[in-house]
Amino acid sequence: SEGVVPFGRIDAQGQRTLRWAPWPGEEVAIAIQRPKGVEGQAMTIDRVDYEVRPGNRLLEAKLRLHARASKGGIRRVTLPEGAQLQRVTIDGKERGLRANGRVVQLPIETGKHRFEIRWQQPWSRRLIEDFPAVDIGGKAVNVTMTIARGEDRWLLWAIGPSWGPAVLFWSHVFVLLLLAIGLGRTPNSPLKTWQWLLLSLGFAQVPTPVLFIVVLWFFAMVWRKAYWADRTTPDHAAWFDLSQLMLAGITLGAMGALYAAIHSNLLLEVDMQVTGRNSTNHQLNWYVDRVDGALPEAAILSLPLLVWRVSMLAWSLWLVWSLLKWLPWA
């Protein structure tokens, strides 16, 4: 501006407003120029949430896009093969958009907007279940992918980007196997190595100290036999009574530990010790900081839960059959 010097004030919205107060004969000249646009993309996808829920016959999927645009346009999203579009919402309001083949054209307006696309597609449960391929038609940041495995599946492993879930159950089983091998090589071990291995596998779903109670019971009975082997009468009656009471307590604890293992394996949920990105046994989450077009690949390995139950039932029957030998020995 030229001429009279302006003065300003801050209004209720925090905007600075220029004001002039010219006297008669004074002039104010104001020059207005449109700034040139900065070269670069006119739209940014700040966040992408891709959720799938596989079922026995259908897979339900939901894709959410959080966009910022400085110029209107069209964003083309390519859905997977066999996808049946259910609905499209923009800023929470349903729009009557239809898919052109596999492509959904999202109208982009200036400002911030939230897009949500829901669809279904035929599905059948299998060992490896991956995310159906989706192309969002451009660059995006902060991509989260979520899959719900279902209540009737036994999760084995997770495959996908580095920032995702980890199944720690198998490392726990590996430690138990090492412990079983070490017990099998211990002098005067009451069980063979393969028996320790089977026994340890059945305790994978309970805390490790529970297994130690059973191990203590076996070696306590071995100690009792060795201690009284060369003694016809106890050295001290009180010590004899105390040792018998301690052995009785350890026996009750061991039987309780065996029951806890059977109960956990046959009736409770299988805890695969899933961790990472707030993942759980039922919901697994992956995160990718940047994508361009196609969303990354991720998958889970799972089996019907019946496989776990039948395996643990066989283990329980083996345990009962073994107890018929171990208890008379004790």
Side-chain angles (χ1 to χ4, degrees):
S1 62
E2 296 180 355
V4 178
V5 177
F7 61 93
R9 67 176 184 179
I10 306 298
D11 59 17
Q13 288 73 32
Q15 301 292 330
R16 182 170 180 266
T17 303
L18 294 178
R19 301 184 66 194
W20 289 266
W23 289 91
E26 295 181 337
E27 295 182 352
V28 176
I30 302 175
I32 300 177
Q33 181 180 7
R34 179 189 297 271
K36 294 183 179 181
V38 178
E39 295 184 1
Q41 61 185 26
M43 183 178 66
T44 300
I45 304 296
D46 292 325
R47 178 179 173 183
V48 178
D49 295 319
Y50 183 22
E51 302 177 12
V52 299
R53 187 178 298 273
N56 293 329
R57 296 184 179 180
L58 288 176
L59 177 139
E60 298 179 350
K62 179 169 58 177
L63 179 67
R64 288 193 296 265
L65 306 175
H66 297 251
R68 287 184 296 121
S70 60
K71 184 173 67 173
I74 297 294
R75 173 56 68 98
R76 293 174 175 82
V77 177
T78 305
L79 301 181
E81 290 284 353
Q84 301 173 1
L85 183 63
Q86 299 296 305
R87 67 174 184 174
V88 178
T89 60
I90 301 178
D91 295 330
K93 298 180 180 180
E94 187 171 352
R95 299 292 185 91
L97 300 179
R98 294 292 180 264
N100 183 12
R102 295 167 49 199
V103 178
V104 179
Q105 297 185 357
L106 300 177
I108 304 298
E109 299 178 356
T110 57
K112 295 182 179 181
H113 300 282
R114 292 178 289 106
F115 302 88
E116 181 176 289
I117 305 174
R118 292 175 178 261
W119 72 90
Q120 293 180 345
Q121 62 186 89
W123 197 259
S124 60
R125 306 311 299 261
R126 48 186 181 268
L127 175 62
I128 302 178
E129 295 179 303
D130 54 357
F131 281 81
V134 172
D135 193 316
I136 61 175
K139 296 181 179 180
V141 297
N142 300 324
V143 179
T144 300
M145 303 172 63
T146 302
I147 185 171
R149 65 171 177 85
E151 299 288 343
D152 58 344
R153 301 292 293 184
W154 172 27
L155 177 66
L156 300 178
W157 199 253
I159 305 172
S162 299
W163 290 351
V167 180
L168 303 182
F169 173 78
W170 301 113
S171 58
H172 177 60
V173 170
F174 180 73
V175 172
L176 289 178
L177 295 180
L178 292 180
L179 175 63
I181 294 174
L183 291 173
R185 296 177 180 273
T186 303
N188 300 324
S189 173
L191 300 182
K192 298 180 180 179
T193 301
W194 68 270
Q195 291 176 311
W196 284 119
L197 289 172
L198 282 178
L199 185 64
S200 300
L201 288 176
F203 280 82
Q205 286 294 302
V206 296
T208 304
V210 178
L211 174 61
F212 289 160
I213 298 176
V214 179
V215 174
L216 177 63
W217 178 75
F218 276 107
F219 283 97
M221 292 302 171
V222 172
W223 167 83
R224 180 180 184 275
K225 179 181 178 180
Y227 185 80
W228 298 110
D230 300 329
R231 291 174 173 83
T232 57
T233 58
D235 297 335
H236 196 283
W239 163 242
F240 176 80
D241 293 341
L242 179 61
S243 65
Q244 290 292 88
L245 289 175
M246 292 176 60
L247 289 171
I250 295 174
T251 300
L252 292 176
M255 295 302 105
L258 294 175
Y259 171 79
I262 295 175
H263 180 80
S264 176
N265 291 329
L266 296 181
L267 299 179
L268 301 184
E269 179 186 354
V270 184
D271 183 11
M272 297 303 291
Q273 303 177 26
V274 180
T275 185
R277 293 298 304 171
N278 297 323
S279 299
T280 64
N281 284 325
H282 299 287
Q283 179 174 300
L284 293 92
N285 307 311
W286 287 267
Y287 174 80
V288 181
D289 55 348
R290 294 178 181 272
V291 299
D292 188 359
L295 297 184
E297 297 179 354
I300 62 172
L301 279 70
S302 66
L303 289 172
L305 186 60
L306 184 61
V307 175
W308 169 267
R309 299 300 186 201
V310 171
S311 301
M312 290 300 100
L313 177 60
W315 178 84
S316 301
L317 294 176
W318 169 81
L319 179 62
V320 172
W321 177 79
S322 299
L323 283 175
L324 296 178
K325 299 181 179 179
W326 296 340
L327 292 178
W329 165 82

